[in-house]
Amino acid sequence: MPRLVHESLLQQFERSNVNGDKKPKGKPLARMLSRRCDDTAHRLRATEPGPKLKQEEYHMPISITRRTAILGSMGAFLLSAVDRTFAAGPTSLKIALILESRTDIGWTRTLLDSLEQVKQARPDGLDISWEYTDPLWNDDAENAMRFYAEGGEYDIIWAHGRYSDQVKKLSAEFPDIMFVVTGSGNLPLGANQYWLYKRLHEPSYLLGMLAGRTTKSGVIGLVGTFAADDVNDQINAFLDGAKSVRPDVKHRVSFIGSWSDNALAAEHANVQIASGADVVFMLTDNFKPCQEHRIMCFANINDQSKLAPDAIASSAIIDWQPDIKWIISEWLKHKAGGQYNGNTEPKWFSMSQGGVDIAPYHDFDAKLPVAVKEELAATRQKIISGEFVVPLNTAEVK
C-alpha cells in the first residue's frame, strides 16, 4: 500500500507535466516539490503496516529514498527549465525625458512623435511609456534627473539636449540607469551615458540643389542659430548642393546667437533679402520675412510647411526612431547581464538608415519644374544607396 500511494503521486506529477499544465516559476515550484515530498512521507507513515509485515517495513525506507531522490532530480531539472523559460527579457520600459525646449519646438516635437511611433511598433514586445518635464536647465535639470533616478521607476533618463554636465554628477551614483544626451555641446563620458547626434547635411545638400536651380538673383541666404558643429554641417552642405548645380552662386550667412529669438531671426532674414537673396534657408522658426517678400525658403528639423505653406518649399527633417531603437537595444543588453558601453563619439543615423530626409514639397509640388524634382529624387537615391556621399564639413562658414 505505501508504494502504491507514492507511485500515484509520482504518476500524477508526470501526467501534469506531459499535459502541459501551467507550472509555477522559480522558488514556488521548488516549494511545491518539497511540499509534495513531505506530504508523501507523511502519507507513507500514516499507511505504514503494523509489526507483522516486517519484511515490507524493512524494504520500505529504501523505496522511499530512491523515489524521493528521483522526484527531487525531476524537480531540479524542471525548475531549471522553468527558470530559463521565465528568464526572458523585460516586458516594459519607462523613460524619463528632461527637455530643454517646449513640446512645440521641432527638436522636442520630433522626439515625442518618434517615441509614439516606436511605442506602437512595440520592439521586442516592450510596453514603452514616458514622462517629460517642462524645459529645465542647470541645477533644475540635475534635480529632476536625481528625482527620477532615486525613484527607481524609470529605466532610462533621456536628457534631450546639452546635459552632460548634469549627467556627469549622477551617472556613477546610479550605474544601472541609462542616461542619454543629444546634440552638440555634450561631453564624451561613456559608461552609462549614450550620446546621440543629428546630422542634417544630406537633406540640406538636396535643398541646396533646389535653391541653386530656382534662384533668379544668383544669391541665396542662410540664417543660423549658433555656429555650432551640427549647424555648420547643414550650412556647408546646403552651399555645396547649390554650387553643384550653379557654381557661380553667391551666399549670405548670419547667426542670431539664439535658439529661439524669432524677432532677431526676422531681422537677419530681412537684411539678407535686402542684399539680393531670393531663396533663404531658415534654421530658425520665423518665416514671415519670406512670406512678406514672396520668396521661397526652407526649414529644418521638422516639416514646417503648415507654418508658411506659401513660402516653405521643403524642410530638412529628422526622425528619432532609429536612435530610440538603438538605445533600446543597448539597454536590453544591459538587462541581459552586459555592461553599459556608452559611446564617446556622438552617434548619428544617416538618410539611408532612416535618421534624416527631406519633407514633401506640399503646395510647391506643382510649382517646381519636373526636371528639377527628378534631379533631386535621383540624387537622393544615390545618397541612400551610397553611390554618392555628401561631404561632412563642420567648419564655420563666413
Side-chain angles (χ1 to χ4, degrees):
M1 182 65 180
R3 180 175 297 179
L4 292 175
V5 171
H6 200 145
E7 283 181 349
S8 176
L9 179 61
L10 182 62
Q11 291 166 354
Q12 180 183 0
F13 180 78
E14 290 172 340
R15 284 197 304 274
S16 69
N17 184 41
V18 170
N19 294 333
D21 292 349
K22 185 177 180 180
K23 301 181 284 300
K25 59 183 177 181
K27 292 183 179 179
L29 177 58
R31 288 196 297 270
M32 181 188 74
L33 292 175
S34 175
R35 250 194 327 270
R36 285 189 171 182
C37 290
D38 292 343
D39 290 347
T40 301
H42 175 75
R43 292 173 68 184
L44 284 170
R45 286 195 296 273
T47 56
E48 198 173 54
K52 294 182 180 181
L53 302 175
K54 293 183 179 179
Q55 185 175 2
E56 189 172 350
E57 182 182 3
Y58 176 79
H59 290 290
M60 185 170 58
I62 300 176
S63 175
I64 294 173
T65 302
R66 287 176 178 173
R67 290 190 176 274
T68 301
I70 293 171
L71 187 59
S73 298
M74 289 175 59
F77 174 78
L78 290 171
L79 180 60
S80 174
V82 171
D83 281 343
R84 287 195 300 271
T85 300
F86 285 92
T91 59
S92 64
L93 168 62
K94 299 196 72 173
I95 305 172
L97 303 176
I98 311 297
L99 303 181
E100 69 173 6
S101 60
R102 302 189 314 271
T103 58
D104 61 330
I105 300 299
W107 185 253
T108 298
R109 184 72 261 158
T110 51
L111 174 64
L112 295 177
D113 290 344
S114 294
L115 277 169
E116 190 61 41
Q117 291 173 299
V118 173
K119 177 183 178 179
Q120 296 302 320
R122 293 178 59 86
D124 294 280
L126 288 171
D127 181 15
I128 303 172
S129 60
W130 58 88
E131 178 178 313
Y132 60 82
T133 67
D134 291 327
L136 298 175
W137 305 273
N138 304 321
D139 291 344
D140 289 337
E142 181 185 340
N143 291 337
M145 291 183 200
R146 178 173 291 280
F147 171 80
Y148 285 125
E150 289 180 344
E153 184 180 355
Y154 294 88
D155 308 289
I156 297 174
I157 296 178
W158 186 303
H160 201 48
R162 304 182 184 194
Y163 290 106
S164 280
D165 287 340
Q166 290 74 33
V167 171
K168 187 177 182 179
K169 300 175 183 178
L170 300 172
S171 57
E173 185 178 350
F174 301 98
D176 289 329
I177 297 287
M178 172 187 270
F179 292 88
V180 179
V181 294
T182 61
S184 60
N186 284 298
L187 303 173
L189 302 181
N192 54 335
Q193 177 194 273
Y194 288 74
W195 186 5
L196 297 174
Y197 232 62
K198 278 301 176 187
R199 291 291 188 195
L200 280 159
H201 63 299
E202 292 171 319
S204 296
Y205 184 92
L206 295 173
L207 295 182
M209 289 179 62
L210 183 53
R213 288 297 188 196
T214 56
T215 178
K216 296 177 181 178
S217 66
V219 180
I220 58 178
L222 302 102
V223 179
T225 49
F226 294 91
D229 175 274
D230 49 358
V231 175
N232 294 336
D233 61 346
Q234 299 176 62
I235 294 175
N236 282 302
F238 182 81
L239 294 177
D240 286 345
K243 292 175 182 177
S244 71
V245 296
R246 184 163 181 173
D248 63 341
V249 72
K250 294 178 173 55
H251 67 268
R252 306 285 186 264
V253 178
S254 60
F255 299 93
I256 66 173
S258 169
W259 296 110
S260 57
D261 191 335
N262 287 336
L264 190 57
E267 291 181 20
H268 282 246
N270 282 323
V271 169
Q272 293 184 12
I273 295 170
S275 66
D278 61 352
V279 180
V280 181
F281 190 7
M282 296 292 291
L283 284 78
T284 60
D285 293 333
N286 191 341
F287 308 98
K288 288 183 179 179
C290 300
Q291 291 177 298
E292 292 171 355
H293 293 277
R294 297 184 179 181
I295 66 169
M296 187 170 68
C297 63
F298 307 111
N300 75 334
I301 304 300
N302 60 333
D303 185 352
Q304 302 190 56
S305 174
K306 63 181 180 181
L307 298 179
D310 56 334
I312 301 175
S314 185
S315 306
I317 59 176
I318 60 178
D319 190 332
W320 294 95
Q321 289 187 74
D323 309 74
I324 296 168
K325 291 176 181 178
W326 178 70
I327 287 295
I328 290 174
S329 69
E330 293 296 302
W331 174 73
L332 287 172
K333 291 176 186 177
H334 173 72
K335 297 299 288 185
Q339 295 292 321
Y340 280 130
N341 187 27
N343 53 308
T344 54
E345 291 293 326
K347 185 175 181 64
W348 51 277
F349 291 85
S350 66
M351 186 180 288
S352 66
Q353 296 170 312
V356 295
D357 210 335
I358 60 170
Y361 302 124
H362 298 293
D363 290 357
F364 277 80
D365 188 64
K367 301 176 184 178
L368 297 174
V370 173
V372 172
K373 292 188 292 183
E374 290 178 347
E375 181 182 34
L376 262 67
T379 305
R380 176 181 176 274
Q381 192 55 47
K382 289 179 181 179
I383 294 172
I384 292 174
S385 68
E387 182 181 348
F388 173 65
V389 177
V390 177
L392 176 59
N393 182 358
T394 61
E396 182 178 348
V397 180
K398 301 297 184 180

